[in-house]
Amino acid sequence: MKVLVIDDDVKLVALVKRGLEAEGFTVDVAYDGADGLWRASESSHDVIVLDIMIPGRNGFLVCSELRANGSSTPILMLTAKDGDLDEAEALDTGADDYLVKPFSFAVLVARLRALVRRSGTSTRVSLAIADLRLDVATRRTWVGVREVGLTAREFAVLSYLVQRAEEVLSKRAILDGVWDDDFEGDPNIVEVYIARLRRKLGASRSRASIETIRGAGYRMRAD
């Protein structure tokens, strides 16, 4: 799942981002209302975490404008204030849920997963090619009847490839689809994950394979 976090608390955002990525989420970040609104409008996300008290447009205005523009992406509002009026205004402007700071990270993750399940915005529940099958909701993978253990990032890369089976995908396309927008590391990290996935699929004797297209990228195919 791809999450947009809009909050000006740099320390909190760093902690949430790191935690969500460990859970297998892809995370985009904005620190003010104008940038958050732009990112939410220009890129597709499964769910948005939106703080009320942010610079520029506050969370209420951002939420209201997104809904006025036709966005149906689930929005979880964050606030440091616990009060019925804030909660009512958040819901009235179009938010789907509401969480008061400080909050439990486990509760945040559970709320986000519940919002995506209810909205049906998750890409697909089940993905398959040849004898390879992925369950997006549980992040489990099978070759035939044998389950294959994957890390959260391995699963994210594999699911991205399977969703676009038979397409040639460049390293840049895979980075953009799986890693967050602020990734500034070595693009060759894609090669590392492709190699890991090949080893695991090969060990399971899968009829699905990842083909290298020289000079272009990678393609998921059924042998």
Side-chain angles (χ1 to χ4, degrees):
M1 290 189 287
K2 192 170 185 178
V3 182
L4 173 61
V5 178
I6 308 173
D7 195 319
D8 65 331
D9 186 332
V10 176
K11 185 178 292 187
L12 175 66
V13 169
L15 291 171
V16 168
K17 184 174 185 291
R18 187 161 60 247
L20 289 177
E21 287 177 340
E23 291 290 326
F25 291 79
T26 298
V27 184
D28 290 341
V29 170
Y31 297 100
D32 61 66
D35 187 35
L37 184 61
W38 180 82
R39 287 178 180 270
S41 302
E42 293 297 314
S43 183
S44 176
H45 299 89
D46 292 300
V47 65
I48 296 171
V49 178
L50 174 61
D51 186 41
I52 292 176
M53 301 302 292
I54 49 177
R57 292 181 177 88
N58 64 33
F60 294 135
L61 293 175
V62 171
C63 184
S64 180
E65 191 161 342
L66 285 172
R67 295 304 186 228
N69 292 337
S71 173
S72 59
T73 303
I75 295 175
L76 174 66
M77 281 269 201
L78 297 179
T79 182
K81 296 189 295 182
D82 185 6
D84 292 343
L85 292 179
D86 273 350
E87 182 174 0
E89 187 169 356
L91 298 174
D92 284 344
T93 54
D96 299 274
D97 202 355
Y98 181 93
L99 197 56
V100 178
K101 297 177 180 178
F103 52 81
S104 160
F105 180 74
V107 171
L108 173 65
V109 172
R111 293 276 188 92
L112 294 180
R113 294 194 189 282
L115 284 175
V116 173
R117 282 198 304 272
R118 290 200 299 268
S119 67
T121 58
S122 190
T123 309
R124 277 187 288 186
V125 173
S126 182
L127 302 169
I129 179 173
D131 56 356
L132 177 65
R133 181 170 61 87
L134 291 76
D135 187 313
V136 175
T138 62
R139 288 184 294 159
R140 298 174 66 187
T141 305
W142 293 267
V143 171
V145 297
R146 177 186 297 178
E147 185 165 1
V148 181
L150 300 179
T151 66
R153 187 69 74 182
E154 288 169 351
F155 184 89
V157 173
L158 184 60
S159 62
Y160 188 79
L161 292 171
V162 173
Q163 287 178 60
R164 294 155 183 81
E166 303 300 337
E167 294 181 30
V168 178
L169 301 169
S170 66
K171 287 181 187 177
R172 185 73 258 171
I174 296 171
L175 281 173
D176 290 345
V178 177
W179 278 261
D180 62 81
D181 291 346
D182 297 325
F183 178 78
E184 296 179 353
D186 187 347
N188 289 327
I189 190 67
V190 173
E191 295 181 10
V192 174
Y193 280 92
I194 294 293
R196 291 180 183 176
L197 290 170
R198 280 175 170 159
R199 283 197 299 271
K200 292 186 177 184
L201 294 179
S204 300
R205 299 181 180 179
S206 176
R207 291 187 286 106
S209 62
I210 304 170
E211 179 183 13
T212 297
I213 308 299
R214 189 172 297 276
Y218 302 97
R219 177 168 58 195
M220 193 81 207
R221 61 188 299 270
D223 292 334

